[in-house]
Amino acid sequence: MNELFVSDVMADQEDSLRAMQNCFRSQFSMEEVECEDIEASRRTSSVDEDSIYLACTLSRSYELGDSDLHHTPVIKMGWLDKTPPQGSLIFQKRWVMLDAQYLRYFQNEKEVYSKRIIAILFVTEVLNVGEQKFEVVTRNRTFLFRAENNTVREEWVSVLKETIQQRRSSMEMSLMNFGFTSGQRDSGVSLISKQGYLEMNGLRSKVYVVICADRVFLYGNAEEHSQGVGITYIEMNVGTVKSTDKRSFNLTTFYRTFSFLAESAQQRDQWVEALQDCVSRSLSSDVVAQKIWAVEANQRCADCGAPHPDWASVNLCVVLCKCCAGVHRGLGQSVSKVRSLRMDEKVWTDNLIQALCSTVQTDDVLETLSLVFCGADVNCYTGDPELPSPVSVAQHYGQILQVEFLTHNHNTDLPGSRAGNHTLLEAALPVSHTGYLFKTASSIRPVTECKAKGDFSRRWCSLNQGNFSYYESEKSSSQSGGMKMSDVLCLLVNPPGKHGYAHSFELYHDSGRVYLFGEDSSDKVKGWIKAIAKALVPSAAEDLVCWPFARVGRLSYTEGQSHHSPLLGWFSLGGSRLLLLLHGADRVENIDLRKIKELSMEQEAGAGAVVLVDRGRSLRVEGDRRPDFQGWLSGLQQGSGRGDGPLDQQQLTYTDVPVIVDRCMSYITQHGLKSEGIYRRCGVNSKIAALLFFLRHDARQVRLNEGERQVDDVANVLKRFLREVGEGVFNGHQASLPWLHTTTVSKMSERVSQYQALLHSLPRVNRATLGAVINHLYCVQCFADENQMNMHNLAIVFGPTLFQMDGTDNSAGQVVEDLIQNYQDIFNVDAEQFQRQLDMISHVIKAQKEHTEEGSPSPLTICGVYLERKEEGSELLVQISQEVSAEELVCKVLRRRNIPPQQGDYWSCFLVDNNQEIERPLHYQEQALTIYFSLGKDCHLVVKKNCYMEAILTYIAGRVDVSRNGLIKFCEEKGQRGKGTFSRRLCVLSGLSLRLYKDVKSSQPERECQIHSLKVYCGIKRKLQPPSCWGMTVVCEKAVRDIQQWYLCCESKNELIEWLATFMSLQHDGDLWPAASRLDS
């Protein structure tokens, strides 16, 4: 923890308590009986002159072990009854807590500050007294407690006796250590920095205040201090101190404010200074200092010889006193980097500690030190691109100490070094921004509750050179607090209206603290968010902040199955969109969380991790206990799809259809098309509700298996989901009215045209969902002879369902019937392609029936697949189901032939058309059975190595923008007259379409087709006499009713690979090959 952060925390706490005082107006006050107890103690108690110890509070000067300074955990706590002073028999319920140092009791379990503390070391005995009662006896006081029953009483007595014995034993060891060390020093070091009487607001009499180590103790009087019986103590690691008047000052914590009054202004200043030193001690650590001082040479300042230096120069490897450290800081960071042994614990690693403690270093380090003194540049470039800097050379040869020394001496980014996380921590551009913002106190927890305007304080904020600072006002010369942008983990943009100020954002610091800023002006907050975001992310990740994100920051992650050596990446999240820049990547990736295959949580000892499986790879984002990760976790879960949201917030397939809809319709298609009365019969309501609940919770994890689910239950789940989904398929009641009015048009051709126009006006997900549902219903009515569900019957059921109506309006059913009847025209479906779909469905149903009669639970189809090439003896008959992918089919074939895939082999399944003399590599996720049923008489499947895939993946990996344009020779076959004419065309392949222009000057494309409507084959049939052998056949299946074939001819193999790579990358969103191939396993 550095000094800037310490002052920042103290200033933040000071800011916070102005707002928090409104919530904690009740000043600290004791009950009337406790005040009388204090007065009685003053009259009757005498000072025990032999007492030298009160837990952490010392009345004499001597040393303690480390264990005495650490705050011990609670040993036992619970409710007990206690009698007030004066011997009254009226018991009062108190919450009692016991740790290794104190027995404390509170008004209730929510109180932070106790009514009484009893030092364990001053307890002489614990006695059972009558039924359920026991006494805690000190030298001058006896405390009577009563438990709920004798069993609880015995537990308390036993634990108290054991704790007292252990405390006395540890005290004896402390005294032995004191005796040993006292001979080494002239005098002991007292942990008490100040003690005395102060008036306290809310009490009629003064209290005796003792500042000891990192705590402030309150006693009724000095005698109580010596007797080990006090009121309470205050942890100063959450405290701030501020003068309020000539003689008064406030000690403020997160929980309340203590107001004190000294006898004079001079005493007030002394108390304030002592309390501020106490706060500093509470935020420091002696772990590093003790290790350094253990070596005799490090016990004195290297410059002036002062004992026990608290500072060190990390690049000169010397220890310094406070005075000399100030001189070194004046020399500048380039000469001497000064760090505190107590405050900057994070700076000191074990390797650097060993170097400082030994003082006599290895020859290599001394040589490096002498070179630095001679002016050697530790940032110099070595000339080796693999090891570009001295740091990387030291890392390569395992010189950890050299790496530590060089790292503390370099002041700028290493030239050419892009290893590790340097590029990810480098700021994009110098950004400057200033203005007023309203700020709350920083906290260690995410800000979940609404902050009112009264909780904010106005601050002048400045962002400059990677430092964010805030001041009391524009004219203030000293800052109230600040942070380095390199220490900010995450920037969160809150939704409008979350807090008292309409617009707000949060900064999550590496220390675990959260800073909340707000303003009513939307433009001002947007300006700050833009500036902070640009100062936060590296230049390579600037695309992460050029859109309306909700949060942006850095996270650790691993890829694949390896959970070792996590890397650092930058992530930007907004709604269902996740942008990320991973380690070593040169471009930002875009993930639609709704379409990922899996999102799962892993719970571990820390904060756990979240695993995203998408595009053939697994990304494991690791968390820690800092508050920013929980926000990422929640955002990823919400962005991945909500079952209770509208259609565009559901989990989606790659065709933009909700997974719930797709799963249910696929199950009905496989197992229910011939079920009589499908969609009219009712299912079991409890099973329907349970299945819908699981699907809404996480549809990706639900598998609908035959035998486990009834067809009618799944059908009713689909209907209930479509009826209840937010805004419905037609995007709300108002948007559905034009659909209903269209039924009044008498001429069917005009009605179809209106339906087409309305279809294109729907949002993308709604349009895809409606198309999928009508496609499914069309397939259902094709089997009406067996299931008794013709178009009219289906329309009666699905009209009110899709329009979310009560069924009284017959026009809803008429619309659905029109959509089914004119499905191919309205949705522009190719007749031949649709017939293939029906043939495949018929085949699956037939296979199901045959396997059911044979008693087989799962229908399989036997496919003929060739290995390497089509020739006699090379065909293999493989049984596959409808769900088997092309990748799984390849694995089956290779296993059948005992062919172990070697590293670098890209085995693929090809669709080969002998008549056209072309072939197409299937995408690894394509369903093999669908392709098999679509084969013509001259087509077959071949499993062989893909000779282009390695070059394709290499080309795509080196591209920032996946698009291509250039002149290419083009031919379009017309008729069967043989030779075609190839002429040059400008081909533009980008975004969502392929466009062909007659020449470079043309403004309108001559031909155009959507990317996802294309099938790209390698090769061109020879009768067209292509000008080169590097050609592609592009089949456009949805441009018009008739299928078009375009022939594109390249001039070289590399040019062909680049075009193929661009086609495939755009069609499959960059997912060309699985990251963890099944072939490897």
Side-chain angles (χ1 to χ4, degrees):
M1 183 182 298
N2 54 41
E3 292 181 330
L4 176 59
F5 177 66
V6 172
S7 63
D8 179 31
V9 172
M10 294 172 63
D12 273 329
Q13 292 168 349
E14 181 179 329
D15 291 341
S16 71
L17 274 296
R18 290 194 185 94
M20 293 176 66
Q21 282 174 358
N22 296 330
C23 301
F24 297 98
R25 283 296 182 187
S26 56
Q27 295 294 325
F28 179 84
S29 61
M30 298 180 297
E31 291 182 336
E32 187 68 22
V33 293
E34 299 290 353
C35 295
E36 295 174 359
D37 184 25
I38 293 176
E39 296 298 328
S41 298
R42 279 190 180 171
R43 292 192 299 268
T44 60
S45 301
S46 60
V47 178
D48 187 353
E49 296 293 335
D50 296 331
S51 175
I52 63 170
Y53 182 75
L54 174 58
C56 285
T57 306
L58 303 180
S59 56
R60 293 189 182 179
S61 299
Y62 64 94
E63 285 191 321
L64 293 179
D66 290 342
S67 62
D68 293 290
L69 298 179
H70 293 166
H71 302 165
T72 55
V74 175
I75 299 173
K76 186 173 179 59
M77 59 184 174
W79 289 101
L80 290 174
D81 295 330
K82 178 194 171 294
T83 58
Q86 320 297 318
S88 172
L89 296 179
I90 301 174
F91 283 90
Q92 299 170 332
K93 204 178 187 74
R94 293 289 182 263
W95 179 257
V96 185
M97 297 178 65
L98 171 68
D99 57 40
Q101 297 177 357
Y102 296 102
L103 177 68
R104 297 175 289 162
Y105 59 87
F106 303 78
Q107 185 75 22
N108 55 61
E109 74 274 19
K110 296 181 180 180
E111 292 291 332
V112 176
Y113 300 110
S114 61
K115 295 179 68 61
R116 277 291 182 185
I117 54 174
I118 306 168
I120 293 298
L121 196 63
F122 285 83
V123 177
T124 57
E125 57 183 336
V126 180
L127 302 173
N128 289 329
V129 182
E131 288 293 324
Q132 306 174 12
K133 295 190 285 290
F134 65 93
E135 290 182 345
V136 177
V137 182
T138 67
R139 298 176 184 177
N140 301 86
R141 289 282 305 275
T142 298
F143 297 86
L144 179 62
F145 295 93
R146 183 177 66 184
E148 184 179 357
N149 52 56
N150 287 333
T151 303
V152 176
R153 190 265 307 269
E154 293 300 328
E155 290 177 0
W156 275 100
V157 171
S158 175
V159 171
L160 278 167
K161 288 182 177 180
E162 183 180 354
T163 304
I164 292 169
Q165 182 60 39
Q166 291 176 353
R167 188 61 184 158
R168 288 174 179 172
S169 299
S170 64
M171 185 59 195
E172 291 173 1
M173 293 299 298
S174 298
L175 292 174
M176 291 174 62
N177 292 336
F178 166 66
F180 176 76
T181 59
S182 61
Q184 299 180 11
R185 297 190 184 183
D186 298 334
S187 62
V189 180
S190 174
L191 294 178
I192 295 180
S193 56
K194 188 169 181 60
Q195 54 188 323
Y197 283 101
L198 286 172
E199 293 183 22
M200 182 172 159
N201 188 13
L203 295 181
R204 293 179 299 177
S205 57
K206 292 183 178 181
V207 293
Y208 193 75
V209 182
V210 177
I211 303 176
C212 176
D214 56 356
R215 290 175 175 173
V216 173
F217 292 81
L218 303 181
Y219 298 92
N221 49 51
E223 289 79 10
E224 283 192 355
H225 169 219
S226 64
Q227 294 166 6
V229 178
I231 301 171
T232 191
Y233 64 76
I234 305 166
E235 301 280 7
M236 293 301 289
N237 61 339
V238 294
T240 57
V241 186
K242 186 175 182 179
S243 300
T244 57
D245 205 347
K246 292 183 179 180
R247 294 190 299 137
S248 61
F249 60 93
N250 286 346
L251 169 56
T252 306
T253 70
F254 286 146
Y255 313 104
R256 55 154 303 150
T257 297
F258 300 87
S259 298
F260 295 99
L261 182 67
E263 293 184 355
S264 64
Q266 182 180 4
Q267 285 195 13
R268 180 207 63 183
D269 294 340
Q270 293 174 357
W271 277 103
V272 169
E273 182 180 359
L275 288 168
Q276 289 175 342
D277 290 341
C278 182
V279 172
S280 299
R281 283 195 301 272
S282 69
L283 298 173
S284 65
S285 171
D286 287 336
V287 175
V288 174
Q290 294 295 339
K291 290 182 179 180
I292 299 295
W293 294 342
V295 176
E296 185 177 358
N298 292 327
Q299 293 181 2
R300 293 189 177 274
C301 173
D303 285 0
C304 68
H308 301 293
D310 291 343
W311 300 81
S313 174
V314 295
N315 61 319
L316 300 182
C317 297
V318 294
V319 289
L320 305 166
C321 65
K322 184 176 181 179
C323 181
C324 294
V327 176
H328 275 249
R329 280 191 167 172
L331 299 175
Q333 290 281 329
S334 60
V335 178
S336 180
K337 283 192 171 184
V338 180
R339 295 290 184 271
S340 170
L341 298 181
R342 297 181 183 273
M343 304 295 290
D344 299 328
E345 185 176 359
K346 288 186 178 180
V347 173
W348 306 98
T349 64
D350 290 338
N351 296 315
L352 192 54
I353 291 172
Q354 293 168 10
L356 285 168
C357 293
S358 63
T359 64
V360 179
Q361 302 170 26
T362 64
D363 294 338
D364 289 338
V365 176
L366 288 175
E367 180 66 14
T368 305
L369 180 62
S370 64
L371 290 173
V372 172
F373 278 139
C374 292
D377 182 12
V378 299
N379 300 324
C380 65
Y381 181 60
T382 62
D384 184 357
E386 297 294 328
L387 303 172
S389 67
V391 171
S392 59
V393 174
Q395 288 174 333
H396 178 73
Y397 289 99
Q399 297 293 339
I400 301 175
L401 198 59
Q402 291 277 26
V403 172
E404 193 74 38
F405 178 82
L406 293 170
T407 302
H408 280 295
N409 274 276
H410 76 71
N411 299 317
T412 59
D413 292 332
L414 300 179
S417 175
R418 290 299 178 259
N421 294 318
H422 293 295
T423 57
L424 293 175
L425 296 177
E426 179 184 339
L429 292 170
V431 179
S432 297
H433 200 80
T434 57
Y436 277 104
L437 284 173
F438 293 88
K439 171 186 179 299
T440 65
S442 65
S443 66
I444 59 175
R445 295 181 180 86
V447 185
T448 56
E449 71 280 2
C450 176
K451 294 288 186 180
K453 285 190 175 182
D455 297 325
F456 288 79
S457 301
R458 192 167 184 254
R459 291 289 179 267
W460 174 260
C461 299
S462 171
L463 175 63
N464 189 31
Q465 298 296 324
N467 292 309
F468 181 80
S469 308
Y470 45 91
Y471 304 80
E472 288 282 348
S473 67
E474 186 178 359
K475 298 180 180 180
S476 299
S477 58
S478 60
Q479 66 181 33
S480 302
M483 68 195 82
K484 294 181 179 179
M485 294 309 300
S486 58
D487 294 332
V488 176
L489 297 177
C490 176
L491 165 63
L492 168 65
V493 182
N494 288 316
K498 181 178 179 181
H499 297 291
Y501 286 96
H503 305 277
S504 61
F505 63 90
E506 299 171 25
L507 297 176
Y508 289 78
H509 194 270
D510 186 36
S511 64
R513 304 197 74 82
V514 184
Y515 299 79
L516 172 62
F517 298 87
E519 238 289 352
D520 280 331
S521 171
S522 173
D523 292 338
K524 286 184 180 180
V525 173
K526 285 180 180 178
W528 274 107
I529 291 172
K530 181 179 179 181
I532 292 174
K534 285 190 174 182
L536 177 64
V537 304
S539 55
E542 195 169 0
D543 289 344
L544 295 177
V545 298
C546 295
W547 68 293
F549 60 87
R551 64 174 65 234
V552 61
R554 62 180 188 261
L555 294 167
S556 299
Y557 74 95
T558 57
E559 282 193 278
Q561 300 299 318
S562 174
H563 293 181
H564 304 290
S565 303
L567 302 172
L568 193 64
W570 284 93
F571 296 76
S572 178
L573 176 63
S576 61
R577 187 179 176 193
L578 176 66
L579 273 61
L580 59 154
L581 178 69
L582 300 182
H583 171 76
D586 54 3
R587 65 187 182 92
V588 171
E589 298 182 49
N590 189 346
I591 294 178
D592 189 339
L593 293 173
R594 300 170 301 175
K595 297 183 180 181
I596 60 177
K597 286 190 172 181
E598 180 184 343
L599 178 70
S600 57
M601 309 299 163
E602 294 182 2
Q603 296 298 328
E604 296 179 349
V610 56
V611 179
L612 295 95
V613 180
D614 178 58
R615 299 183 181 180
R617 73 172 180 192
S618 175
L619 192 69
R620 184 175 184 271
V621 181
E622 301 185 353
D624 52 30
R625 294 186 179 277
R626 287 178 292 199
D628 70 301
F629 183 71
Q630 294 302 319
W632 283 105
L633 200 63
S634 176
L636 289 171
Q637 287 177 317
Q638 293 181 10
S640 65
R642 298 182 5 248
D644 58 346
L647 286 176
D648 61 353
Q649 295 181 12
Q650 301 287 326
Q651 296 177 0
L652 302 178
T653 65
Y654 281 104
T655 57
D656 293 319
V657 177
V659 175
I660 297 178
V661 175
D662 182 73
R663 289 278 162 85
C664 293
M665 293 191 308
S666 296
Y667 186 85
I668 299 298
T669 301
Q670 294 181 49
H671 308 292
L673 284 184
K674 293 190 176 183
S675 177
E676 185 176 348
I678 185 67
Y679 290 118
R680 295 195 79 165
R681 292 203 308 260
C682 298
V684 180
N685 191 58
S686 59
K687 293 183 178 180
I688 295 170
L691 177 57
L692 183 57
F693 171 80
F694 290 126
L695 286 168
R696 280 175 170 165
H697 178 69
D698 191 354
R700 300 186 189 98
Q701 302 300 322
V702 179
R703 295 291 179 266
L704 301 178
N705 299 320
E706 185 182 10
E708 296 179 5
R709 305 289 181 184
Q710 296 298 318
V711 170
D712 294 326
D713 293 340
V714 177
N716 280 275
V717 166
L718 175 61
K719 291 192 299 180
R720 186 176 296 185
F721 172 79
L722 293 173
R723 178 181 286 275
E724 296 177 357
V725 68
E727 301 296 328
V729 175
F730 294 99
N731 199 31
H733 175 69
Q734 291 298 324
S736 68
L737 294 179
W739 290 84
L740 300 174
H741 294 159
T742 303
T743 58
T744 60
V745 178
S746 57
K747 195 173 182 180
M748 182 56 70
S749 59
E750 295 180 5
R751 197 184 299 181
V752 168
S753 299
Q754 289 194 25
Y755 283 139
Q756 288 176 329
L758 291 171
L759 179 65
H760 286 90
S761 68
L762 287 176
R764 179 167 47 89
V765 176
N766 297 61
R767 185 167 61 249
T769 305
L770 180 61
V773 171
I774 300 302
N775 173 275
H776 173 68
L777 297 181
Y778 191 96
C779 294
V780 172
Q781 64 87 31
C782 288
F783 297 88
D785 292 341
E786 297 175 73
N787 59 35
Q788 307 301 316
M789 294 298 291
N790 54 30
M791 293 184 191
H792 182 70
N793 292 338
L794 289 171
I796 293 174
V797 173
F798 275 89
T801 298
L802 293 177
F803 283 93
Q804 299 184 342
M805 301 171 66
D806 56 7
T808 57
D809 190 348
N810 295 330
S811 57
Q814 184 62 51
V815 171
V816 174
E817 187 170 353
D818 289 345
L819 293 177
I820 298 174
Q821 183 177 0
N822 301 278
Y823 167 64
Q824 296 183 39
D825 292 325
I826 295 174
F827 292 90
N828 195 22
V829 177
D830 180 71
E832 184 177 349
Q833 180 185 3
F834 185 65
Q835 187 59 45
R836 291 174 185 170
Q837 178 185 355
L838 293 176
D839 292 342
M840 185 186 72
I841 293 173
S842 299
H843 182 88
V844 170
I845 293 175
K846 181 179 178 181
Q848 279 182 327
K849 184 177 180 181
E850 293 174 354
H851 282 270
T852 302
E853 292 173 354
E854 297 172 3
S856 177
S858 58
L860 299 174
T861 300
I862 298 177
C863 297
V865 185
Y866 293 91
L867 183 63
E868 299 287 0
R869 65 185 62 87
K870 184 179 181 180
E871 59 185 11
E872 187 177 353
S874 67
E875 184 179 15
L876 287 84
L877 299 179
V878 183
Q879 284 187 326
I880 61 174
S881 64
Q882 186 181 3
E883 293 79 15
V884 170
S885 64
E887 180 190 10
E888 293 171 321
L889 177 59
V890 172
C891 295
K892 287 177 178 287
V893 171
L894 295 182
R895 281 198 296 265
R896 286 279 296 276
R897 286 300 175 90
N898 295 321
I899 301 177
Q902 304 296 324
Q903 186 173 3
D905 290 348
Y906 292 90
W907 288 89
S908 299
C909 184
F910 287 79
L911 188 159
V912 180
D913 189 330
N914 292 330
N915 183 39
Q916 297 288 332
E917 303 172 52
I918 56 178
E919 62 181 21
R920 179 173 72 88
L922 303 184
H923 187 259
Y924 74 92
Q925 291 180 335
E926 284 191 73
Q927 290 185 344
L929 191 60
T930 304
I931 301 299
Y932 181 75
F933 285 133
S934 67
L935 295 178
K937 62 180 181 179
D938 296 319
C939 300
H940 59 274
L941 297 179
V942 176
V943 172
K944 62 180 181 178
K945 293 180 182 178
N946 191 334
C947 59
Y948 291 156
M949 184 54 69
E950 184 174 4
I952 287 173
L953 294 176
T954 302
Y955 174 77
I956 292 299
R959 298 286 295 177
V960 176
D961 179 26
V962 183
S963 62
R964 182 170 174 78
N965 60 76
L967 293 175
I968 196 168
K969 291 184 178 180
F970 164 78
C971 174
E972 182 177 18
E973 185 179 20
K974 296 182 179 179
Q976 303 293 328
R977 290 180 291 181
K979 179 180 178 181
T981 302
F982 282 85
S983 55
R984 287 190 176 274
R985 292 289 187 272
L986 175 63
C987 183
V988 178
L989 183 60
S990 63
L992 300 175
S993 64
L994 167 66
R995 300 183 297 279
L996 292 171
Y997 296 84
K998 191 170 185 178
D999 53 51
V1000 294
K1001 297 181 180 179
S1002 301
S1003 59
Q1004 294 296 326
E1006 188 178 36
R1007 288 170 180 80
E1008 182 175 7
C1009 188
Q1010 297 298 309
I1011 288 292
H1012 292 285
S1013 301
L1014 300 176
K1015 291 288 189 296
V1016 182
Y1017 294 79
C1018 298
I1020 300 176
K1021 56 185 177 183
R1022 282 176 291 182
K1023 77 172 186 177
L1024 294 177
Q1025 299 182 11
S1028 75
C1029 61
W1030 313 112
M1032 300 175 289
T1033 299
V1034 179
V1035 180
C1036 184
E1037 298 181 344
K1038 291 188 178 180
V1040 293
R1041 184 62 56 84
D1042 297 328
I1043 296 177
Q1044 291 187 353
Q1045 290 191 175
W1046 302 339
Y1047 303 97
L1048 306 178
C1049 203
C1050 305
E1051 296 182 354
S1052 66
K1053 179 181 177 180
N1054 288 337
E1055 185 182 354
L1056 174 64
I1057 290 174
E1058 292 175 3
W1059 280 106
L1060 288 174
T1062 308
F1063 268 114
M1064 296 170 65
S1065 180
L1066 290 174
Q1067 284 188 319
H1068 302 289
D1069 297 327
D1071 182 15
L1072 304 185
W1073 195 261
S1077 176
R1078 298 175 186 271
L1079 299 175
D1080 299 333
S1081 57

